[in-house]
Amino acid sequence: MERREEQPGAAGAGAAPALDFTVENVEKALHQLYYDPNIENKNLAQKWLMQAQVSPQAWHFSWQLLQHDKVPEIQYFGASALHIKISRYWSDIPTDQYESLKAQLFTQITRFASGSKIVLTRLCVALASLALSMMPDAWPCAVADMVRLFQAEDSPVDGQGRCLALLELLTVLPEEFQTSRLPQYRKGLVRASLAVECGAVFPLLEQLLQQPSSPSCVRQKVLKCFSSWVQLEVPLQDCEALIQAAFAALQDSELFDSSVEAIVNAISQPDAQRYVNTLLKLIPLVLGLQDQLRQAVQNGDMETSHGICRIAVALGENHSRALLDQVEHWQSFLALVNMIMFCTGIPGHYPVNETTSSLTLTFWYTLQDDILSFEAEKQAVYQQVYRPVYFQLVDVLLHKAQFPSDEEYGFWSSDEKEQFRIYRVDISDTLMYVYEMLGAELLSNLYEKLGRLLTSSEEPYSWQHTEALLYGFQSIAETIDVNYSDVVPGLIGLIPRISISNVQLADTVMFTIGALSEWLADHPVMINSVLPLVLHALGNPELSVSSVSTLKKICRECKYDLPPYAANIVAVSQDVLMKQIHKTSQCMWLMQALGFLLSALQVEEILKNLHSLISPYIQQLEKLAEEIPNPSNKLAIVHILGLLSNLFTTLDVSHHEDDHEGSELRKLPVPQGPNPVVVVLQQVFQLIQKVLSKWLSDAQVVEAVCAIFEKSVKTLLDDFAPMVPQLCEMLGRMYSTIPQASALDLTRQLVHIFAHEPAHFPPVEALFLLVTSITLTLFQQGPRDHPDIVDSFMQLLAQALKRKPDLFLCERLDIKAVFQCAVLALKFPEAPTVKASCGFFTELLPRCGEVEPVGKVVQEDGRMLLIAVLEAIGGQASRSLMDCFADILFALNKHCFSLLSMWIKEALQPPGFPSARLSPEQKDTFSQQILRERVNKRRVKEMVKEFTLLCRGLHGTDYTADY
């Protein structure tokens, strides 16, 4: 087994003669898997062992591997092989062998009851699988039989060993059912059978759990077994006695975790809400845990407090509606809610001193939803009871959101800090949700607290308290429209009074200002109160993200009120950009902010500011263009090009005529003369060409150049028109030298916006024909190394058909070659490329009638397309792509019906095509179904999914469950 040539069956499944799968060879392969240091040998051994497990010989060697003189690793493999054979190849077992197989498994389980536990578990799983396959007809009382057989006194194994083996078997049975590959109709029958059989299980579990003489290991196993069975949706009232026993077992530290798991699983089953009386009985049991919970918190016992909290939340979260409905029991439910509040506010900082409070947050969403779902009268009653509770919750959450002392925080690991950040985001989301319940009074409440804190002269306030209150404001203002709130002016007035001595507080001040940017747009007189703070923060690298994102929001929302501050904003921004205070992504955001800002100025002002803003970068770029290419100057070039493209992304001096999605892209003309972006682009065009000439072979630089123009085109739309001829010419030269996907993507943008305009059609058409011709040459040389180019090319062709089908009328376009290349692209392994190719055909086929060359090529080569589609459906393409191929079939059927009806019969004629698993009848049914459906695309997709499963031999298996 140590060298490949000695490895039985290493050549692959089916290649090895049956003799290879012997006990000796399996043992050798297992030794190689566990002990060979060579990873390649391990992988080969694993592959071969997987083949061995599914081979017919597995029935023979599995039993031999279980012999008592074998080591546990070998015995485990034997037990696993038996499970695989029973669970996956049940149909191979003759009916007359069921009983002997069952008897053998019972014998082995009895033997291993005092042996290796991992082998025992696998054997139990194998017997469980056998039971599920035989139930209910071939083995009607499977569970009762198991209990009876293991309780027999004549067994050589001691009572405790037999008891543990039986409990293991009963535990894995429901688990195996949940993961079994039973067909859907059988699953329902077996579930019903198991529901009846729980009558043989629960009395035994109750007896073992309540029996004082039961050792701890048995009681633990009982709780795990109960936990497994309740997931079969056993009626909650049938579980009552066991749940009560599990509550009692919570006092035993060894049984605590298993008890929690069992109780939570029992309470959480979806069906439990039907048993309201049982749920009401559980509330006092949960409330009875409060002393144990407080004691655990006092002793810093996080595991106990966590477990008790899980139980309280499981009852409250899963059944709040059912329990709220019991109006006469409102006080006991309120007591449960207060217990969960205690868990939310559990002392200590998450996640260092406690990990419990995060479990409770979803409960508060659920409770609020349930209260607000009642009719008006009942809702008013519950609002009266629960509004004070939710105000208390806000206080608790803001306390939990507070940062620890600087000293303590300094000792936290980066992972703990990240967990705390996520926890605060969860609190923020909860506060935002709670606003729906509490409304404007919540903002007033926060404002009053902040005001008292900042104006009180009695005691010094901690920055943590201030930060948390601001964080609460920010959480709400980020998503709720606070424009009509009467406390925001006061808050804006308070912000400059905050003594900022700490990065976390400064960050939150920035984010709060950013969250109020829309309010500032409606109240521009207040901008001057906060803008100096933001500009000052721009100079601090520690506040990089918060200050830049806040400035960007203000510039976007308030741009028409910012001209008086523009010079100052540009000057400060230029200064921090030149000093390189911020990382690349924040520099890009800052440029976007300046783009928004400049958009509201007069053209002369824009040009003046642009000149001062980008001149230093242009000079730097001129210098870099002279240098010999190397990695460091490449980074600088890409950075400068990125700054320009981000500036041009948002610098938009005109206004969209219609912002509705799907409307034509049209903008109102700029009344002030040439567009400033176009003016700048024309000035730097030669320089960009010079840079390109040296960096044409570098995809990153080419991408950065294309991004400048692509973002400008998207922003300017028709205003970009003066640049179209020279850009088309430059793109043509770029693509002719070294084809790159980014150039095709930019070409697609130009086709999208300018191809339908007569004035711009000639240069766009020339570019389209050139890149098409070059890409077709690439296909002749071998396109497999360029899936990104093929992907972008297919998208370009689809866009051309959508926006300007006339591009396909040109005699210089070799449409036959385009069609054949697209068929080839359907066979690429890369999913995005295949999707793009399918997209091209779904645009092409509807134009068979209107574009004569398209009709001609489909008539000549459409059969080739159909065969490629059928091959893909037959198993050559990923199942996730079947909808795309179904779209092609639908388009063929709708637009080329007579051709398709002839081609599909011919194509499916050869035996074994598109899959050897198909019968002639199945192929015939598929072709008839497809030809009949010319209206409902969804139906065609369903037919293709069914057919591909048949082709792959997966129809009717559990692989189809999520498909």
Side-chain angles (χ1 to χ4, degrees):
M1 285 300 295
E2 289 175 9
R3 292 194 314 278
R4 181 168 184 154
E5 54 270 25
E6 290 177 3
Q7 174 122 346
L19 292 175
D20 283 341
F21 298 126
T22 60
V23 175
E24 294 74 21
N25 281 336
V26 169
E27 289 194 40
K28 282 183 192 172
L30 284 165
H31 189 272
Q32 189 167 317
L33 178 67
Y34 286 117
Y35 304 111
D36 194 318
N38 184 319
I39 193 72
E40 199 176 323
N41 286 346
K42 279 181 183 291
N43 291 339
L44 283 169
Q46 187 173 25
K47 192 175 175 184
W48 184 85
L49 285 165
M50 286 167 76
Q51 292 167 21
Q53 277 187 317
V54 299
S55 70
Q57 289 71 38
W59 286 118
H60 176 67
F61 66 65
S62 296
W63 302 109
Q64 291 179 293
L65 294 176
L66 287 166
Q67 288 171 3
H68 60 84
D69 58 339
K70 307 291 183 193
V71 294
E73 290 93 331
I74 288 172
Q75 293 171 332
Y76 180 83
F77 183 80
S80 293
L82 280 173
H83 171 240
I84 286 170
K85 294 300 287 182
I86 292 168
S87 61
R88 295 191 197 172
Y89 301 94
W90 178 251
S91 56
D92 295 351
I93 306 171
T95 318
D96 60 359
Q97 287 185 22
Y98 289 176
E99 289 304 319
S100 64
L101 181 55
K102 187 204 302 182
Q104 279 179 288
L105 283 168
F106 269 122
T107 304
Q108 292 292 348
I109 289 170
T110 307
R111 193 162 68 78
F112 276 94
S114 52
S116 166
K117 291 290 167 271
I118 58 164
V119 181
L120 173 66
T121 300
R122 287 324 288 166
L123 287 168
C124 288
V125 171
L127 181 56
S129 186
L130 177 107
L132 295 172
S133 298
M134 290 175 72
M135 289 166 76
D137 300 330
W139 194 0
C141 302
V143 180
D145 286 354
M146 290 173 188
V147 173
R148 188 173 44 75
L149 276 162
F150 277 93
Q151 286 180 325
E153 292 296 332
D154 57 353
S155 170
V157 183
D158 68 89
Q160 187 175 314
R162 275 183 290 129
C163 183
L164 287 169
L166 172 60
L167 288 170
E168 182 64 29
L169 178 56
L170 293 176
T171 303
V172 299
L173 186 63
E175 291 168 359
E176 181 66 8
F177 172 75
Q178 304 286 10
T179 57
S180 66
R181 299 175 173 220
L182 295 171
Q184 208 53 45
Y185 79 95
R186 286 266 308 128
K187 215 153 192 175
L189 285 172
V190 175
R191 182 188 287 279
S193 184
L194 285 170
V196 174
E197 294 262 31
C198 81
V201 178
F202 281 18
L204 171 70
L205 299 184
E206 285 168 36
Q207 183 194 341
L208 289 170
L209 202 53
Q210 289 162 355
Q211 215 167 267
S213 60
S214 290
S216 186
C217 60
V218 169
R219 297 170 77 195
Q220 191 145 30
K221 204 74 201 145
V222 167
L223 288 162
K224 285 183 177 168
C225 184
F226 172 49
S227 192
S228 177
W229 274 81
V230 292
Q231 292 178 63
L232 292 174
E233 294 176 23
V234 179
L236 191 65
Q237 63 194 25
D238 296 352
C239 306
E240 232 177 89
L242 276 167
I243 293 175
Q244 289 188 354
F247 267 99
L250 287 168
Q251 304 306 317
D252 184 333
S253 59
E254 284 185 34
L255 302 178
F256 183 83
D257 289 346
S258 304
S259 302
V260 169
E261 212 57 50
I263 295 167
V264 168
N265 283 342
I267 293 172
S268 304
Q269 51 174 313
D271 199 40
Q273 60 194 8
R274 289 171 45 208
Y275 304 96
V276 178
N277 289 334
T278 306
L279 291 173
L280 288 169
K281 287 180 195 172
L282 293 179
I283 294 180
L285 291 175
V286 176
L287 295 175
L289 300 172
Q290 287 182 98
D291 287 343
Q292 192 179 353
L293 172 62
R294 287 197 178 88
Q295 196 65 47
V297 170
Q298 214 172 325
N299 298 338
D301 179 356
M302 284 164 68
E303 284 182 20
T304 300
S305 54
H306 195 84
I308 293 173
C309 173
R310 278 186 65 200
I311 293 171
V313 169
L315 183 57
E317 195 176 303
N318 288 293
H319 306 298
S320 66
R321 176 72 201 217
L323 293 169
L324 284 167
D325 270 330
Q326 309 307 305
V327 181
E328 64 278 17
H329 295 278
W330 70 273
Q331 284 171 305
S332 65
F333 184 61
L334 181 59
L336 177 68
V337 171
N338 285 325
M339 182 178 175
I340 295 172
M341 180 76 79
F342 176 81
C343 295
T344 305
I346 208 158
H349 287 289
Y350 182 95
V352 177
N353 317 110
E354 63 91 5
T355 54
T356 298
S357 57
S358 62
L359 300 177
T360 66
L361 298 180
T362 317
F363 164 74
W364 299 109
Y365 285 73
T366 308
L367 178 61
Q368 179 177 311
D369 283 347
D370 289 336
I371 290 169
L372 297 180
S373 70
F374 285 123
E375 72 283 357
E377 197 179 330
K378 199 169 182 181
Q379 189 184 131
V381 172
Y382 274 130
Q383 283 261 21
Q384 210 174 344
V385 175
Y386 282 100
R387 273 178 74 83
V389 173
Y390 272 86
F391 273 115
Q392 185 192 347
L393 174 67
V394 171
D395 290 344
V396 167
L397 290 176
L398 291 178
H399 182 72
K400 293 297 293 180
Q402 284 187 27
F403 280 88
S405 69
D406 294 340
E407 187 184 358
E408 193 182 334
Y409 193 62
F411 286 112
W412 285 19
S413 67
S414 57
D415 187 44
E416 286 166 341
K417 287 177 180 175
E418 176 59 11
Q419 282 184 58
F420 182 59
R421 186 193 67 77
I422 294 166
Y423 175 67
R424 278 171 50 99
V425 171
D426 291 340
I427 286 177
S428 171
D429 292 344
T430 311
L431 289 170
M432 180 265 291
Y433 205 76
V434 165
Y435 182 84
E436 190 186 347
M437 176 88 134
L438 303 179
E441 199 183 332
L442 172 55
L443 290 177
S444 307
N445 187 291
L446 292 175
Y447 172 64
E448 281 167 24
K449 284 183 175 143
L450 188 63
R452 276 203 305 274
L453 197 66
L454 295 177
T455 54
S456 167
S457 54
E458 289 172 24
E459 52 183 278
Y461 61 85
S462 71
W463 71 261
Q464 286 93 338
H465 198 169
T466 310
E467 189 278 335
L469 285 166
L470 270 181
Y471 185 68
F473 246 112
Q474 174 211 322
S475 303
I476 295 160
E478 262 177 347
T479 42
I480 307 289
D481 182 2
V482 294
N483 281 10
Y484 306 105
S485 167
D486 54 0
V487 301
V488 176
L491 174 65
I492 296 278
L494 282 177
I495 285 175
R497 298 184 61 158
I498 296 170
S499 168
I500 299 176
S501 55
N502 175 281
V503 171
Q504 284 91 1
L505 176 58
D507 258 337
T508 302
V509 168
M510 284 302 112
F511 284 128
T512 305
I513 295 169
L516 295 170
S517 55
E518 284 184 41
W519 185 90
L520 288 168
D522 289 340
H523 305 82
V525 72
M526 304 298 282
I527 291 172
N528 200 33
S529 301
V530 290
L531 187 59
L533 289 174
V534 179
L535 294 179
H536 178 70
L538 275 184
N540 184 343
E542 289 186 295
L543 304 178
S544 183
V545 173
S546 60
S547 61
V548 174
S549 68
T550 297
L551 182 64
K552 182 180 163 184
K553 282 180 178 176
I554 291 173
C555 290
R556 184 181 65 218
E557 300 300 335
C558 312
K559 62 183 174 186
Y560 298 112
D561 302 299
L562 290 179
Y565 314 104
N568 193 17
I569 294 172
V570 171
V572 173
S573 301
Q574 263 185 290
D575 185 50
V576 298
L577 284 165
M578 284 297 129
K579 287 177 179 167
Q580 297 180 339
I581 284 172
H582 301 290
K583 290 181 180 170
T584 301
S585 54
Q586 275 72 56
C587 292
M588 302 306 159
W589 290 359
L590 193 48
M591 278 301 203
Q592 287 179 21
L594 295 171
F596 286 125
L597 173 74
L598 298 181
S599 300
L601 304 181
Q602 296 296 311
V603 168
E604 307 78 55
E605 281 295 304
I606 296 174
L607 287 168
K608 195 171 87 180
N609 277 296
L610 277 176
H611 180 72
S612 69
L613 184 62
I614 64 179
S615 286
Y617 294 111
I618 301 305
Q619 287 162 16
Q620 204 180 337
L621 199 57
E622 282 170 343
K623 189 163 157 285
L624 290 164
E626 300 295 336
E627 292 176 11
I628 296 161
N630 68 60
S632 69
N633 59 25
K634 172 188 159 175
L635 279 176
I637 288 169
V638 170
H639 182 73
I640 292 168
L641 295 174
L643 291 174
L644 293 176
S645 64
N646 277 279
L647 178 65
F648 298 155
T649 301
T650 53
L651 209 172
D652 187 6
V653 292
S654 55
H655 309 291
H656 288 275
E657 192 175 291
D658 191 345
D659 282 335
H660 294 300
E661 203 176 318
S663 62
E664 278 295 302
L665 295 167
R666 278 286 166 274
K667 303 177 80 179
L668 298 172
V670 185
Q672 305 160 297
N675 191 296
V677 173
V678 174
V679 171
V680 173
L681 282 175
Q682 286 175 327
Q683 287 171 0
V684 299
F685 198 80
Q686 296 302 321
L687 174 58
I688 288 173
Q689 283 189 305
K690 190 175 179 182
V691 170
L692 260 182
S693 64
K694 287 194 175 177
W695 290 92
L696 255 181
S697 59
D698 190 291
Q700 221 179 333
V701 175
V702 170
E703 213 169 289
V705 168
C706 289
I708 289 182
F709 293 104
E710 193 175 350
K711 288 179 177 178
S712 305
V713 169
K714 278 181 179 172
T715 308
L716 301 178
L717 302 176
D718 294 343
D719 292 348
F720 190 84
M723 296 287 301
V724 171
Q726 58 197 121
L727 181 57
C728 287
E729 193 187 330
M730 184 184 90
L731 272 173
R733 280 205 304 276
M734 274 166 59
Y735 200 74
S736 304
T737 314
I738 296 178
Q740 300 208 17
S742 49
L744 289 174
D745 294 336
L746 180 49
T747 304
R748 187 174 84 245
Q749 283 294 331
L750 293 173
V751 166
H752 179 55
I753 294 164
F754 296 107
H756 62 286
E757 294 191 9
H760 304 302
F761 183 69
V764 172
E765 182 191 41
L767 175 62
F768 175 74
L769 293 170
L770 177 64
V771 297
T772 301
S773 166
I774 293 164
T775 312
L776 293 176
T777 309
L778 197 70
F779 265 92
Q780 288 167 1
Q781 295 162 355
R784 278 300 302 112
D785 297 335
H786 308 285
D788 56 333
I789 291 178
V790 176
D791 182 352
S792 295
F793 181 54
M794 291 298 138
Q795 290 187 53
L796 167 62
L797 294 171
Q799 186 67 265
L801 283 161
K802 203 183 290 185
R803 294 294 283 180
K804 191 68 176 173
D806 291 6
L807 287 164
F808 282 73
L809 288 169
C810 179
E811 287 178 8
R812 283 180 291 149
L813 180 73
D814 188 346
I815 193 163
K816 194 177 182 69
V818 166
F819 190 95
Q820 289 170 351
C821 290
V823 170
L824 189 62
L826 288 175
K827 300 175 184 182
F828 271 44
E830 292 81 8
T833 307
V834 176
K835 271 187 184 170
S837 313
C838 291
F840 162 67
F841 282 116
T842 51
E843 289 294 339
L844 180 95
L845 293 167
R847 289 171 176 76
C848 284
E850 64 190 74
V851 182
E852 192 266 332
V854 170
K856 187 166 180 278
V857 76
V858 170
Q859 200 153 4
E860 290 171 5
D861 294 336
R863 190 173 179 279
M864 180 206 311
L865 167 63
L866 176 65
I867 286 171
V869 169
L870 290 172
E871 283 173 348
I873 296 169
Q876 286 192 10
S878 162
R879 275 165 50 206
S880 64
L881 294 166
M882 289 306 111
D883 280 358
C884 302
F885 289 105
D887 287 342
I888 297 179
L889 277 181
F890 183 75
L892 277 167
N893 199 26
K894 194 170 182 181
H895 303 285
C896 322
F897 176 72
S898 55
L899 292 168
L900 178 65
S901 51
M902 181 173 63
W903 293 334
I904 198 164
K905 286 185 175 64
E906 289 173 10
L908 291 172
Q909 203 68 43
F913 181 85
S915 164
R917 293 186 175 89
L918 296 174
S919 67
E921 293 76 26
Q922 287 171 323
K923 292 198 269 188
D924 195 41
T925 303
F926 176 67
S927 62
Q928 285 175 19
Q929 284 178 328
I930 291 292
L931 292 169
R932 269 201 301 270
E933 193 52 78
R934 298 177 68 186
V935 179
N936 191 330
K937 192 187 281 190
R938 187 180 56 78
R939 279 286 302 119
V940 174
K941 288 179 177 177
E942 285 169 6
M943 292 168 196
V944 168
K945 282 180 180 176
E946 286 286 307
F947 192 63
T948 196
L949 291 171
L950 286 170
C951 291
R952 297 164 199 257
L954 297 175
H955 198 271
T957 68
D958 65 330
Y959 286 109
T960 65
D962 302 319
Y963 185 47

